[in-house]
Amino acid sequence: MKPAKEIRVGNIIMVDAKPFIVLRSDVNGSSRTGFTYKWKMKNLLTNAPLENVFRGDDKFDVVVLDKKPVTYSYFADPLYVFMDEEYNQYEIEEENLGDAINYLKDGMECEAVFYDGKAISVELPITIARQVIYTEPAVKGNTSGNVMKEAKLENAIESKQFTIQVPLFVNQDDVIEIDTRTAEYKKVVRN
């Protein structure tokens, strides 16, 4: 058990027997009156947001989640199925995947995050390479400054195709590198 004053952003704690990740922490008060901690949290099982205020001496169980390398296998409506190296399959609901759903591709390697023996989400590599399946051609003369255009990326689920902003020189069928944390273009990998 850790007191609230030792909990940091990114820690996973138990609140009312449910696991929450601390997304933001604001501290108020003084040493004479005591500190309060206003936390913005997200339930790891349901993705439901929660804001709450705690005293500095409130105690919480800090949870360490297990992670295991897996590969994306297939979509079994409404679940996404991942498989580990021992061919164990893990089903994860769409709402628990978050932004990872935009980058899924058959055979893609990622890490499954487990809570209490159940896969609850996946973590992607920081950068991935994806092919541009559609983008408008660059217009001659439209090159002053840092001009960007939309590019549609390849994805395992056609209904979930994702677009990002890319520089004008990126063409259809180029393979580009993307930062999965910010959904930003990094560079062209090959033409």
Side-chain angles (χ1 to χ4, degrees), residues 160-188:
K160 303 290 182 195
Q161 283 180 338
F162 185 60
T163 59
I164 67 166
Q165 295 292 315
V166 297
L168 282 180
F169 60 81
V170 174
N171 297 313
Q172 188 167 321
D173 298 326
D174 282 354
V175 176
I176 61 173
E177 193 172 281
I178 305 150
D179 186 326
T180 57
R181 298 168 299 183
T182 60
E184 290 179 341
Y185 162 87
K186 289 293 200 191
K187 65 182 180 180
V188 173

Side-chain angles (χ1 to χ4, degrees), residues 14-34:
M14 297 300 287
V15 177
D16 298 329
K18 296 179 185 87
F20 282 86
I21 184 166
V22 178
L23 302 174
R24 184 174 168 179
S25 177
D26 295 320
V27 182
N28 292 317
S30 67
S31 57
R32 186 175 1 167
T33 60

Side-chain angles (χ1 to χ4, degrees), residues 12-181:
I12 295 145
I13 59 171
M14 297 300 287
V15 177
D16 298 329
K18 296 179 185 87
F20 282 86
I21 184 166
V22 178
L23 302 174
R24 184 174 168 179
S25 177
D26 295 320
V27 182
N28 292 317
S30 67
S31 57
R32 186 175 1 167
T33 60
F35 292 99
T36 59
Y37 297 83
K38 183 179 181 182
W39 290 339
K40 183 176 182 181
M41 302 178 287
K42 181 176 82 169
N43 186 319
L44 288 178
L45 301 176
T46 64
N47 280 339
L50 175 69
E51 280 193 29
N52 214 333
V53 177
F54 300 99
R55 293 190 328 258
D57 56 355
D58 288 344
K59 296 199 181 296
F60 298 93
D61 281 325
V62 177
V63 179
V64 177
L65 298 178
D66 296 325
K67 295 181 183 178
K68 182 185 240 184
V70 294
T71 56
Y72 173 67
S73 290
Y74 60 92
F75 175 61
D77 200 3
L79 302 171
Y80 292 80
V81 181
F82 296 82
M83 189 180 300
D84 66 12
E85 52 206 23
E86 287 101 38
Y87 302 106
N88 296 319
Q89 292 187 357
Y90 305 101
E91 297 173 337
I92 301 175
E93 295 85 12
E94 181 175 330
E95 58 268 10
N96 290 349
L97 289 175
D99 291 339
I101 200 163
N102 298 325
Y103 305 106
L104 287 183
K105 184 177 170 185
D106 293 337
M108 178 182 176
E109 294 183 4
C110 49
E111 281 190 324
V113 178
F114 292 86
Y115 170 71
D116 202 20
K118 180 185 184 302
I120 57 170
S121 69
V122 293
E123 285 186 4
L124 298 179
I126 293 172
T127 58
I128 60 169
R130 286 292 177 267
Q131 183 177 8
V132 175
I133 59 169
Y134 180 78
T135 189
E136 295 287 333
V139 178
K140 191 171 185 172
N142 191 10
T143 57
S144 66
N146 190 10
V147 182
M148 305 291 270
K149 63 180 180 176
E150 282 193 353
K152 191 180 285 189
L153 305 176
E154 68 176 328
N155 191 335
I157 299 96
E158 206 167 304
S159 64
K160 303 290 182 195
Q161 283 180 338
F162 185 60
T163 59
I164 67 166
Q165 295 292 315
V166 297
L168 282 180
F169 60 81
V170 174
N171 297 313
Q172 188 167 321
D173 298 326
D174 282 354
V175 176
I176 61 173
E177 193 172 281
I178 305 150
D179 186 326
T180 57
R181 298 168 299 183

